[in-house]
Amino acid sequence: MNTSNLRTEIHKGAMKTLKESYIGADSLTFEMVVDGASEGVCLDLTPLKNSYGKEFGGVEIDKGKIHISLCLPKFIKEYNIRPFSMTDVFMLKVIKNDIETALQRVIKGKIDKRPDVLSASAKAIECNITKQVTGQGSCSDVLNLINRSFTEGTNVVYQRASLKCKYDKETESLIIRKRNYYVLKSYNKTLEQRKKGNFDVENGLLRIETVMQDRTIQKLFGECSTIRAVLTEQGLMKIIREYKRIFLEDIIEEHILPCLRDVTEILYSSLTKTDSLTETIALRKELIMDGELLRKALFKWYKSKGYSRERAKRNTDTQICRCQVKYGFPKDAINTLREFKKICE
């Protein structure tokens, strides 16, 4: 291999590693019924700590069941800003050993028979991409676009006062449920961390997370969704592949792209009907979730009026520039989702 090809391969490898570091698992919950854990045996939620005294999860016993919660990134870092990715798999053996040791220490004396805690079954598996928004984008604008793209049910939106005007609102987090399959949780990770007192965090960090539930876990692991099976390189790969499928097929193909197409057509129809950019903006400003939507509609409108491609583009660029100054439309929300999509490809 010559020097040029070697550099190319090294660059590809570095880019692959970079992409892999953005996507991975976060919190996982497991449950097991244990012989000797009678209905009367209880243990309030108790922290799980490794041999260095670092907390990485919790355990409780209630009504004959052990409930275990784990936060994989906290095995290797103080905060779960970045998920537990394929670049971290070398830690899995140590992690399972720490989990078993910590669990046995906490439940000792509560249960008559020493249980095989690593056989607990998964009840929820979180996987996410956490990345800075692109260019001049904001977490709020991306969350607004995702929210408007999911029209089937009732989404849960949490807002806060805008930094620009306290009577305006910015979207802080968004929850969308696909019952029994997954919960889509998207939120401003920077804001979440700063509320917890971690101010040494990048600006504009957006997390888009799926909490995989019963049917998805069954699909991935069948009857063997144990701690022992899930916390393996193969198990983590299954989780990440499913996240990518959900993101590319359910989020992008089924919701985002149809939304973008529909809104562009709505804006174009309004321009055609009113023959006025100002009136269209007045009527449909809430639908302009990214200035690129208005740009596409404007270009199509000018073309329909008989303008050449070059003139239509020139007029569109001029109007978008003026509108951006006057109205301050959101920017780079679409580009941010494109960057998230690249990580999944």
Side-chain angles (χ1 to χ4, degrees):
M1 183 181 292
N2 62 37
T3 305
S4 177
N5 289 340
L6 179 60
R7 286 198 190 100
T8 300
E9 290 303 311
I10 291 172
H11 176 70
K12 286 180 179 177
M15 291 304 293
K16 184 174 186 293
T17 301
L18 182 63
K19 285 174 64 175
E20 286 180 343
S21 70
Y22 285 127
I23 181 171
D26 188 43
S27 295
L28 301 92
T29 58
F30 296 85
E31 181 181 284
M32 68 184 301
V33 178
V34 184
D35 293 336
S38 68
E39 291 289 322
V41 174
C42 289
L43 174 68
D44 292 336
L45 184 61
T46 304
L48 292 173
K49 298 180 180 181
N50 63 17
S51 56
Y52 298 100
K54 181 175 174 56
E55 186 175 326
F56 60 80
V59 59
E60 61 182 330
I61 303 175
D62 183 46
K63 296 180 180 178
K65 291 183 180 180
I66 298 180
H67 305 277
I68 303 162
S69 58
L70 308 171
C71 185
L72 291 185
K74 288 190 176 180
F75 278 97
I76 52 178
K77 298 172 186 175
E78 185 175 359
Y79 299 101
N80 67 331
I81 296 172
R82 301 291 184 190
F84 188 94
S85 70
M86 291 303 297
T87 61
D88 303 313
V89 292
F90 67 94
M91 287 292 297
L92 285 172
K93 186 175 181 180
V94 174
I95 288 172
K96 279 188 284 190
N97 182 68
D98 279 1
I99 290 170
E100 184 168 28
T101 301
L103 280 169
Q104 296 292 1
R105 183 169 58 243
V106 169
I107 64 179
K108 186 177 181 181
K110 290 287 183 181
I111 299 171
D112 298 335
K113 185 179 178 182
R114 180 185 173 100
D116 177 13
V117 290
L118 295 186
S119 68
S121 298
K123 292 300 176 184
I125 297 173
E126 295 181 0
C127 187
N128 71 75
I129 293 176
T130 303
K131 189 179 183 301
Q132 277 185 303
V133 292
T134 304
Q136 298 179 50
S138 75
C139 294
S140 179
D141 292 337
V142 180
L143 296 175
N144 181 45
L145 174 53
I146 296 172
N147 179 42
R148 288 178 179 271
S149 298
F150 281 78
T151 59
E152 300 90 338
T154 302
N155 305 333
V156 180
V157 180
Y158 294 93
Q159 295 184 315
R160 63 186 175 94
S162 170
L163 296 176
K164 296 178 182 178
C165 173
K166 66 180 181 180
Y167 298 110
D168 197 3
K169 294 291 184 181
E170 290 182 5
T171 300
E172 182 177 323
S173 62
L174 168 68
I175 298 174
I176 299 168
R177 300 181 186 278
K178 186 171 182 180
R179 188 173 177 82
N180 296 323
Y181 287 93
Y182 62 84
V183 178
L184 177 63
K185 292 166 57 181
S186 308
Y187 58 96
N188 184 328
K189 186 64 177 177
T190 297
L191 184 63
E192 182 249 16
Q193 284 294 298
R194 288 175 180 169
K195 284 182 177 180
K196 292 181 177 180
N198 177 22
F199 297 98
D200 186 24
V201 61
E202 301 164 271
N203 291 322
L205 274 182
L206 175 67
R207 171 165 291 188
I208 300 179
E209 180 170 76
T210 60
V211 185
M212 299 175 192
Q213 299 184 318
D214 296 342
R215 293 184 184 177
T216 300
I217 294 171
Q218 176 73 22
K219 169 188 167 183
L220 297 181
F221 296 100
E223 298 302 319
C224 191
S225 62
T226 63
I227 295 176
R228 187 176 285 110
V230 173
L231 297 190
T232 61
E233 182 174 354
Q234 295 74 19
L236 186 59
M237 287 176 65
K238 287 180 181 180
I239 293 165
I240 291 174
R241 278 199 299 265
E242 179 62 11
Y243 177 93
K244 290 179 176 181
R245 187 203 66 77
I246 291 170
F247 192 90
L248 294 174
E249 295 180 13
D250 293 10
I251 299 174
I252 299 297
E253 293 292 334
E254 189 175 337
H255 291 93
I256 299 295
L257 291 181
C259 173
L260 298 182
R261 287 193 294 266
D262 290 348
V263 169
T264 300
E265 189 59 33
I266 290 168
L267 293 172
Y268 167 70
S269 296
S270 179
L271 287 166
T272 302
K273 183 177 180 179
T274 64
D275 200 36
S276 168
L277 173 57
T278 303
E279 191 170 341
T280 290
I281 292 172
L283 290 170
R284 298 296 186 181
K285 189 173 188 295
E286 292 298 315
L287 289 183
I288 305 174
M289 298 164 284
D290 189 306
E292 288 305 303
L293 294 171
L294 183 60
R295 180 186 294 277
K296 289 182 180 180
L298 266 175
F299 180 75
K300 184 177 179 180
W301 182 51
Y302 282 127
K303 286 279 290 177
S304 73
K305 292 165 76 71
Y307 291 19
S308 68
R309 183 178 182 83
E310 292 74 18
R311 187 180 174 192
K313 184 179 182 306
R314 188 166 60 249
N315 283 14
T316 298
D317 290 343
T318 300
Q319 291 292 355
I320 288 295
C321 186
R322 289 173 180 171
C323 288
Q324 195 63 50
V325 172
K326 187 174 182 179
Y327 299 105
F329 294 128
K331 296 180 70 173
D332 290 321
I334 295 172
N335 284 335
T336 295
L337 288 175
R338 285 194 183 109
E339 290 299 313
F340 275 66
K341 179 175 176 287
K342 286 179 184 176
I343 294 170
C344 292
E345 292 175 335

